[in-house]
Amino acid sequence: NPTAHHQSGPAHVPPREPACHQWVNWPMSSFEPRPEHHFTFGLWTVGNTGRDPFGHEVRPPLDPADAVHHLADLGAYGVNFHDNDLVPHGSTSAERARIITRFRTALDATGLKVPMATTNLFSLPVFRAGAVTANDPDVRRFAVAKTFDAIGLAAELGAEVYVMWGGREGVEAEAATDVRLALDRYKEAVDLCCEHIRHHGYGMRIALEPKPNEPRGDMFLPTVGHALAFIGELEWPDMVGLNPEFAHETMSGLNFTHAVAQALWHRKLFHIDLNAQRIGRYDQDFRFGSEGIRDAFHLVRLLESSGWDGMRHFDAHAYRTEDRDGVWEFARGCMRTYLILAEKARRFDDDPEIADALAVAGVADLALPTSPGGTGAEAREELRRAAAGLDEAALATRGHGHERLDQLVTELLLGVR
Ligand code: GLT
Ligand code: MN
Ligand code: MN
């Protein structure tokens, strides 16, 4: 009787049972990161102090040498940095030398490498209206000179890839820039860096990193596609490629795997930033695979099946909820998820039912040329004749089995295959 129950008052409501969680004790598997997997992290990633636009730091700064030792213990291959992650802005040359010696000692002790380095062209107030695309030529000269110094530091520590992320290249007040001129200046800066690298014989390649917005309202070179087109206008296009980031293409609502595939197709994938991101949000830089696990799977499958021999770099950071232990859980999680997905990708290729579904979908037929005779007049005539003999209605009505194929992907990822 609900009325009686109501009248009996809260004192008679039985106390809530404590929630009981009986988790399976998952056995330790073989997904142990090792240097040969080529996993790398930035000093700014594991060293992220949890500061955000609304809140202060929640973790103390991480000493670069400590970062090196921890990453090596976790099985990473390398560590990357911005000039000022390692050598704080304004350091004297004596301080610079001392810092580098200490860092190099840690690298030598652990065998960790520095495959990539970059310049911080976004934190200093001087870059508030842009760095290499600022309207003020003095700011641009300051930015390019800082980049030359950072390239020198990168070379000193053996980096082979130099990343250019234009964090402040962009605008909020549209009338305050001229995009065509800004691109002239962007090109000028990249050309200057290429000449600088060539002059010193550093043998380094430059990887441009696109991002649509944040911290600027609109940023120049917003997507992989924009950057690929831009490279064609450079003085040394062969020296310049892409460093696409999972979160950045996803922020644009684009398919990151397709962006990476196209960069590979143009032979322009020089480096990659792995993390996780939900569409329509701020730049989240979450642990790899923590969002969009299917997208992460397709990406790993692409990288692994394409024979990508570059770095698997995680440009991500631990949640702000975490202490130092949580940071190392985060780093380990990025690498383990990658390895688990690589294993799933191999299983995908070995699964007979999936092979059958792929055959029904005709995926392998995409490798067959549309015009086997080429593009000449005779071949075009042949193509016409072949098309004329086709049964359009039969082609139009058949199903392609994508539902079954896609469900098989889901079941593989959910661990029931
Ligand atoms: C910064 C940015 C990243 C870039 C880094 C390289 S710095 O953390 O959010 O996407 O890759 O400059
Ligand atoms: Mn990011
Ligand atoms: Mn990045």
Side-chain angles (χ1 to χ4, degrees):
N1 179 334
T3 313
H5 178 79
H6 181 246
Q7 283 168 350
S8 68
H12 296 275
V13 175
R16 194 186 295 279
E17 290 284 329
C20 170
H21 296 290
Q22 197 73 60
W23 293 109
V24 176
N25 203 356
W26 212 248
M28 277 301 291
S29 68
S30 60
F31 302 111
E32 282 302 309
R34 289 192 306 268
E36 58 264 38
H37 298 132
H38 286 168
F39 292 129
T40 64
F41 290 84
L43 283 180
W44 71 94
T45 65
V46 288
N48 180 283
T49 56
R51 202 178 56 180
D52 71 17
F54 304 95
H56 302 297
E57 289 84 353
V58 294
R59 293 183 286 264
L62 177 62
D63 177 81
D66 288 351
V68 167
H69 282 282
H70 272 280
L71 288 172
D73 287 347
L74 289 174
Y77 172 81
V79 62
N80 307 318
F81 55 78
H82 297 88
D83 49 356
N84 302 141
D85 298 341
L86 185 61
V87 182
H89 183 62
S91 300
T92 64
S93 54
E95 284 162 349
R96 182 186 188 277
R98 191 184 49 76
I99 291 167
I100 294 173
T101 304
R102 189 171 144 68
F103 188 62
R104 204 192 284 280
T105 304
L107 294 174
D108 291 345
T110 56
L112 224 67
K113 303 279 185 287
V114 175
M116 175 273 262
T118 180
T119 318
N120 185 323
L121 292 179
F122 43 90
S123 294
L124 297 175
V126 67
F127 300 131
R128 64 201 289 174
V132 304
T133 63
N135 291 349
D136 187 336
D138 285 338
V139 172
R140 281 185 257 129
R141 285 188 271 268
F142 183 87
V144 172
K146 188 174 194 287
T147 305
F148 288 166
D149 290 345
I151 288 173
L153 178 62
E156 223 177 308
L157 287 152
E160 291 176 352
V161 174
Y162 184 78
V163 162
M164 282 182 94
W165 174 61
R168 295 284 168 190
E169 316 303 351
V171 76
E172 292 79 31
E174 190 60 35
T177 192
D178 177 323
V179 178
R180 287 174 295 169
L181 292 176
L183 290 173
D184 281 344
R185 300 288 78 78
Y186 220 146
K187 166 180 153 56
E188 188 184 6
V190 179
D191 289 346
L192 282 163
C193 291
C194 287
E195 292 290 356
H196 180 77
I197 289 169
R198 296 174 67 81
H199 174 82
H200 289 275
Y202 288 147
M204 208 178 268
R205 298 192 298 170
I206 295 181
L208 303 174
E209 181 175 338
K211 187 173 182 182
N213 59 273
E214 204 186 328
R216 300 312 301 266
D218 280 290
M219 284 156 75
F220 304 137
L221 305 184
T223 69
V224 166
H226 290 81
L228 282 171
F230 173 77
I231 290 170
E233 301 297 320
L234 298 173
E235 220 51 59
W236 299 99
D238 291 349
M239 287 178 69
V240 184
L242 265 291
N243 177 39
E245 176 172 316
F246 197 117
H248 297 177
E249 297 304 294
T250 307
M251 285 170 77
S252 301
L254 297 173
N255 180 323
F256 183 62
T257 305
H258 287 199
V260 172
Q262 188 162 350
L264 280 167
W265 189 76
H266 291 281
R267 292 174 297 284
K268 285 299 183 193
L269 189 70
F270 284 11
H271 197 262
I272 191 163
D273 278 3
L274 302 170
N275 52 21
Q277 171 79 31
R278 282 167 75 173
I279 288 182
R281 308 222 167 170
Y282 65 97
D283 181 23
Q284 295 178 306
D285 290 338
F286 284 157
R287 188 182 75 260
F288 181 60
S290 60
E291 298 286 349
I293 194 78
R294 285 167 61 93
D295 298 329
F297 165 73
H298 289 297
L299 174 73
V300 169
R301 182 163 173 258
L302 170 70
L303 288 177
E304 296 304 304
S305 65
S306 70
W308 167 244
D309 61 358
M311 296 300 123
R312 284 130 181 97
H313 172 70
F314 298 104
D315 185 12
H317 50 73
Y319 301 137
R320 192 163 182 268
T321 50
E322 299 311 285
D323 60 9
R324 206 38 91 51
D325 290 343
V327 169
W328 304 121
E329 286 296 333
F330 144 84
R332 195 170 139 72
C334 286
M335 296 187 281
R336 282 179 60 82
T337 299
Y338 189 98
L339 292 174
I340 294 165
L341 291 175
E343 163 71 12
K344 293 280 183 196
R346 274 186 290 274
R347 287 166 81 125
F348 180 95
D349 283 357
D350 292 345
D351 187 313
E353 205 179 330
I354 293 178
D356 182 63
L358 288 170
V360 171
V363 180
D365 292 349
L366 198 50
L368 303 175
T370 308
S371 174
T375 52
E378 210 171 299
R380 298 199 309 275
E381 244 346 280
E382 178 53 36
L383 181 147
R384 267 194 178 290
R385 270 194 299 278
L390 293 172
D391 180 351
E392 183 187 341
L395 290 173
T397 49
R398 73 163 182 218
H400 295 268
H402 292 187
E403 286 289 358
R404 173 171 165 243
L405 173 61
D406 201 67
Q407 179 65 17
L408 286 167
V409 172
T410 298
E411 296 194 8
L412 179 83
L413 290 178
L414 292 181
V416 297
R417 302 191 63 77

